[in-house]
Amino acid sequence: MIAQAPNILQAGTISPADPLIFGFWKVPKSVCATVCYQAIKSGYRRLDCACDYGNEKEVGEGIAKAIQDGLCTREDLFVTSKLWNTYHKHVAAACQRSLDDLQLSYLDEYLIHFPISMEYVPFDKKYPPEWLNLEGKMVLVPNDMCATWKAMEELVDQGMAKTIGVCNFSTQLLRQIFSTCKIRPSTLQIELHPHNSQEKLVRFAHENGMNVTAFSTLASSSYVELDMATADDSLMTNSVIVDIAKAKNKTPAQVLIRWALQRNTFPLTKTTKDERMKENRNVLDFKLTLDEMSKINALNKNHRYNDPGVFCEGMGTFFSGFVVFFYLELQKKLS
């Protein structure tokens, strides 16, 4: 029988005990090493990285300095990286590149970034490869996601990763992995916030013993400058969130992070400002009532801000039904 995912707010159920995650998406390379160091100094022990973020070398520099200065040991940290779409047939090489850039001998967690397989781009030609190949085109290639997962399992066997998991996977895709895997995914990382609560997917993951990481915890905040959201989408000014924040003597961001924690998900946030790091961590000294949780839950409108089914169409590729059916439909189209 598969055990339920642990309650992350219950003492002694997770390691590191702190459930808060610091992310490096969109952190500029010029300040990334310093930001990483400051995040660790502020108390973060869970660090979320990815090849695609283009700053793993700088994160590695920050980690090395923090360890050298005695802020933490390697064993204190839980470092995550991710397999990019172009490397589904080059899993070990991709993981090793991340390890080299991060100056680590192992990852605590390695995740498949998207259930999307794209044309291989050689490491020495373009790194990170991003969404386009050397000709500036997005080229999808047929791939069995279970074969990718088998290669991920080999990373654990080789000691390159302690745990493995997935990002942006649907229930159907998880069931497919479960049907053939030797090592079950330990984590599902998905976009989660009150505008996109994904209650059934979170429940399914928890019932199958998976931890759930919530990225874009503050919803639209990171997407306005990318033209993937507007100022009107902001939850920071939503009256429900603002009223609860005032009642708790907290900020709207703290309320959103606390909402994520009380759903038994690991909230992932990022900032380049020391004061925001401290603010985002000051969420363990209050609780939202059931009524307050219900009011926030009612804001759901099943809206993703980070959706390849939308932004990739502008690059000449249409991901029909990405969230639920993408992989199955892709295999049909390419078979």
Side-chain angles (χ1 to χ4, degrees):
M1 184 176 179
I2 299 167
Q4 275 265 6
N7 183 339
I8 64 174
L9 290 174
Q10 184 175 330
T13 60
I14 58 173
S15 180
D18 189 330
L20 303 175
I21 305 176
F22 190 87
F24 292 93
W25 180 51
K26 290 176 58 188
V27 175
K29 292 173 68 172
S30 60
V31 299
C32 188
T34 299
V35 167
C36 177
Y37 183 89
Q38 288 302 128
I40 293 172
K41 188 175 181 179
S42 296
Y44 286 97
R45 293 297 179 263
R46 297 176 181 270
L47 307 177
D48 183 79
C49 315
C51 149
D52 186 54
Y53 301 164
N55 54 17
E56 287 193 318
K57 281 188 176 180
E58 291 72 22
V59 173
E61 292 168 6
I63 291 173
K65 187 175 189 303
I67 293 174
Q68 181 181 354
D69 289 356
L71 297 183
C72 64
T73 66
R74 170 63 185 95
E75 292 70 29
D76 292 333
L77 300 176
F78 190 95
V79 182
T80 297
S81 187
K82 306 180 188 74
L83 176 76
W84 186 240
N85 305 340
T86 53
Y87 300 138
H88 280 239
K89 298 183 187 297
H90 301 80
V91 173
C95 182
Q96 188 60 57
R97 175 61 187 260
S98 286
L99 287 172
D100 292 344
D101 285 351
L102 291 165
Q103 302 181 44
L104 301 177
S105 60
Y106 67 90
L107 292 168
D108 298 277
E109 182 175 78
Y110 197 52
L111 309 177
I112 299 175
H113 206 146
F114 284 101
I116 301 172
S117 185
M118 292 169 20
E119 181 180 86
Y120 173 65
V121 176
F123 293 88
D124 60 344
K125 299 295 184 182
K126 182 185 178 186
Y127 191 87
E130 302 175 310
W131 289 90
L132 305 179
N133 66 10
L134 297 177
E135 287 74 46
K137 298 178 180 179
M138 182 183 296
V139 180
L140 304 177
V141 297
N143 180 56
D144 178 2
M145 204 58 62
C146 289
T148 300
W149 188 254
K150 183 177 180 181
M152 295 282 286
E153 292 175 332
E154 291 173 0
L155 299 179
V156 178
D157 295 339
Q158 296 165 9
M160 299 173 71
K162 288 192 172 182
T163 62
I164 49 178
V166 298
C167 305
N168 303 299
F169 271 49
S170 65
T171 301
Q172 289 88 339
L173 286 170
L174 289 174
R175 288 188 187 279
Q176 184 178 6
I177 299 296
F178 292 159
S179 69
T180 63
C181 67
K182 179 180 69 175
I183 301 173
R184 293 174 69 88
S186 62
T187 292
L188 172 65
Q189 183 176 131
I190 49 177
E191 181 181 335
L192 289 176
H193 45 73
H195 281 165
N196 191 49
S197 59
Q198 302 203 68
E199 290 185 13
K200 290 184 178 179
L201 181 54
V202 171
R203 176 184 172 186
F204 178 81
H206 282 157
E207 289 179 351
N208 280 276
M210 299 178 70
N211 293 324
V212 177
T213 295
F215 74 78
S216 298
T217 308
L218 306 184
S220 64
S221 300
S222 293
Y223 299 102
V224 174
E225 65 185 278
L226 302 175
D227 293 326
M228 296 163 69
T230 69
D232 292 338
D233 292 317
S234 177
L235 281 169
M236 300 293 206
T237 56
N238 181 279
S239 61
V240 172
I241 304 298
V242 170
D243 288 348
I244 293 173
K246 289 179 179 177
K248 300 293 185 184
N249 196 28
K250 292 291 182 178
T251 66
Q254 289 169 329
V255 169
L256 292 170
I257 295 168
R258 184 69 201 189
W259 175 82
L261 284 171
Q262 288 186 211
R263 300 182 77 215
N264 203 32
T265 63
F266 291 79
L268 194 166
T269 57
K270 68 94 182 171
T271 180
T272 59
K273 300 177 181 178
D274 294 354
E275 62 270 23
R276 290 284 185 240
M277 293 181 192
K278 295 174 183 176
E279 175 187 331
N280 291 344
R281 291 190 53 76
N282 188 20
V283 294
L284 300 176
D285 60 348
F286 77 104
K287 294 182 179 179
L288 299 173
T289 65
L290 289 176
D291 181 60
E292 289 166 339
M293 288 291 291
S294 295
K295 288 179 179 178
I296 298 174
N297 291 342
L299 299 175
N300 179 55
K301 53 184 181 180
N302 299 318
H303 181 73
R304 290 186 66 182
Y305 294 103
N306 187 351
D307 189 350
V310 176
F311 65 76
C312 286
E313 189 169 6
M315 292 184 252
T317 300
F318 176 46
F319 289 156
S320 178
F322 171 80
V323 179
V324 179
F325 299 113
F326 168 76
Y327 177 71
L328 297 176
E329 292 187 358
L330 174 60
Q331 296 307 309
K332 293 176 183 176
K333 292 176 183 177
L334 296 177
S335 62

